[in-house]
Amino acid sequence: MFGGKGGLGKTTFSAATAYWLAQQGYKVLVFSVDPQASLSDIFQRDIFGKGAVEIVPNLFAQEIDADQHIREYQDRIRRKILDMYGLDKVPDEIEQYIQAAAAEPAMEESAIFDQVVDIVVGGGYDYYIYDLVPLGHALYYLSMASVYDQWIEKITKLREEMQEYAQVAAILERKKQTEEDQILAELQDIRYRINTSSSILTDKEKTAFFFVIIPEEMAILDTQKAAALFSKFQVPLCGYVVNRVLPQELAGQQIPEYLRHRLEMQQTYLTRIGQLFGDQVLAYVPEFERDVTGLEMIRRMAEAMFGGAA
Ligand SMILES: Nc1ncnc2c1ncn2[C@@H]1O[C@H](COP(=O)(O)OP(=O)(O)OP(=O)(O)O)[C@@H](O)[C@H]1O
Ligand SMILES: [Mg+2]
């Protein structure tokens, strides 16, 4: 997972890392939940909402379309209601409720969360690269696992208690309790999916989380704060990658005053980064002469990050 403040290079590093791993022969999926479709931009291909698309051999990219997922989710709920209660048509009041619920912001979040769980639990790739949305939001997603889990646990418990009463009632009424069983099974399945995915995402053996930073004051301050919060959610922080470092050889050349100031400023913050994060800094990545889009720039970025082996 690549995380960090907005616009510092998460998508760039995700794409380059995926590219590099694919070059090493691994089957890789790079995915994002970003509605801005930045993987489409960097790979210069429209992949939004199209599932996993193969970009080059072994390298797959996927952009989740939350709205599409919500519509599918609504349909599944309708079908489940029809199945469970043996109806031909979803009752109007329930249909209204389904529509209203879909408009809630929480619905979008849970649809996204659900898709991420699908991807992570699904298997099929050697590596998954999760190109996160900017910090605050990413934290929110990660915290959802535990919030959901607590909520589901409560509901499941209630259901189980209800079922005990229902069983007594059923014995009295000589009825079978199949619908209660289905709801409970559904809840248990959700719990299983949440627990499996959050245990993968917080497992130090399986998951690595990298912070992207740049040598600027605000980026350093925000990252420090975020790092403290992330550790609360047991995100396995593996280190920092410093992006947009101006080439040092410029210092010895005839350069405009403006550029010299920028170099000096960066030097100050690089020193600060060294003091704060020390050997947790895994790489310094240069600022290129242009933005990183298209496979050729991605390849150059991979080389800058991992060395010339690609
Ligand atoms: N080392 C670099 N040299 C030149 N351009 C870069 C470099 N790193 C990133 N960029 C450019 O900076 C812009 C922002 O990068 P990117 O989209 O990867 O950031 P992000 O952290 O994913 O942003 P967001 O928070 O919006 O998702 C892009 O146009 C990218 O091409
Ligand atoms: Mg991005």
Side-chain angles (χ1 to χ4, degrees):
M1 292 190 274
F2 285 97
K5 226 172 120 72
L8 302 190
K10 297 178 292 295
T11 303
T12 306
F13 285 176
S14 298
T17 304
Y19 180 87
W20 187 79
L21 287 169
Q23 295 299 85
Q24 311 299 301
Y26 296 106
K27 191 177 173 194
V28 189
L29 178 68
V30 55
F31 67 97
S32 107
V33 303
D34 184 355
Q36 304 200 1
S38 29
L39 286 175
S40 285
D41 293 341
I42 192 166
F43 288 119
Q44 297 177 324
R45 260 181 80 172
D46 178 17
I47 59 164
F48 188 70
K50 297 199 162 84
V53 176
E54 191 164 19
I55 304 288
V56 293
N58 280 334
L59 169 56
F60 294 79
Q62 180 170 358
E63 274 176 334
I64 293 165
D65 175 354
D67 290 341
Q68 179 193 330
H69 193 63
I70 288 174
R71 287 192 298 274
E72 288 164 12
Y73 191 56
Q74 286 176 304
D75 281 343
R76 273 209 306 281
I77 289 173
R78 287 190 190 99
R79 269 201 305 280
K80 266 177 190 147
I81 288 172
L82 298 180
D83 284 355
M84 273 185 202
Y85 296 100
L87 304 169
D88 317 315
K89 183 182 173 288
V90 176
D92 283 347
E93 315 87 90
I94 295 182
E95 180 55 38
Q96 275 166 21
Y97 179 76
I98 291 173
Q99 304 268 348
E104 270 192 48
M107 188 64 147
E108 183 178 342
E109 252 110 47
S110 81
I112 288 171
F113 184 81
D114 212 43
Q115 284 256 289
V116 173
V117 172
D118 265 351
I119 289 174
V120 173
V121 175
Y125 295 90
D126 298 315
Y127 283 95
Y128 294 86
I129 316 274
Y130 187 176
D131 167 24
L132 290 169
V133 285
L135 281 175
H137 234 79
L139 260 179
Y140 182 79
Y141 287 125
L142 293 166
S143 67
M144 290 226 341
S146 60
V147 173
Y148 272 154
D149 191 49
Q150 281 165 27
W151 184 79
I152 297 277
E153 189 184 318
K154 251 206 172 105
I155 304 275
T156 309
K157 247 212 185 106
L158 274 174
R159 272 278 162 202
E160 279 162 357
E161 280 170 24
M162 273 170 63
Q163 204 178 31
E164 278 174 32
Y165 291 114
Q167 266 159 5
V168 175
I171 292 167
L172 293 177
E173 293 175 32
R174 298 173 195 283
K175 255 188 5 200
K176 278 214 295 194
Q177 282 304 305
T178 47
E179 68 192 40
E180 292 298 329
D181 285 344
Q182 275 182 47
I183 291 169
L184 201 55
E186 180 80 4
L187 287 166
Q188 278 155 352
D189 182 53
I190 297 173
R191 271 202 91 183
Y192 164 80
R193 284 161 47 79
I194 291 173
N195 287 334
T196 311
S197 60
S198 68
S199 71
I200 292 171
L201 290 175
T202 54
D203 182 346
K204 282 194 163 52
E205 299 285 312
K206 292 187 174 138
T207 302
F209 180 89
F210 304 98
F211 265 118
V212 182
I213 47 174
I214 58 168
E216 281 179 22
E217 176 140 40
M218 290 312 288
I220 298 172
L221 290 176
D222 285 358
T223 305
Q224 268 183 294
K225 278 186 225 148
L229 283 170
F230 272 71
S231 69
K232 256 178 51 185
F233 292 107
Q234 284 142 30
V235 175
L237 178 58
C238 277
Y240 299 80
V241 183
V242 186
N243 194 13
R244 289 184 169 272
V245 179
L246 295 170
Q248 286 307 301
E249 60 269 23
L250 284 176
Q253 298 172 13
Q254 281 288 351
I255 51 169
E257 194 66 357
Y258 167 84
L259 195 52
R260 191 164 300 283
H261 272 132
R262 286 205 62 91
L263 268 174
E264 279 164 14
M265 177 205 76
Q266 280 212 342
Q267 209 43 59
T268 311
Y269 292 123
L270 285 170
T271 309
R272 172 98 57 88
I273 287 171
Q275 287 161 352
L276 287 171
F277 306 119
D279 56 8
Q280 284 182 289
V281 177
L282 303 174
Y284 293 90
V285 176
E287 163 121 336
F288 290 149
E289 74 285 358
R290 51 154 290 187
D291 59 352
V292 183
T293 49
L295 285 177
E296 178 47 27
M297 285 309 285
I298 293 173
R299 191 195 58 75
R300 272 182 64 192
M301 180 50 88
E303 211 172 282
M305 291 175 80
F306 299 100

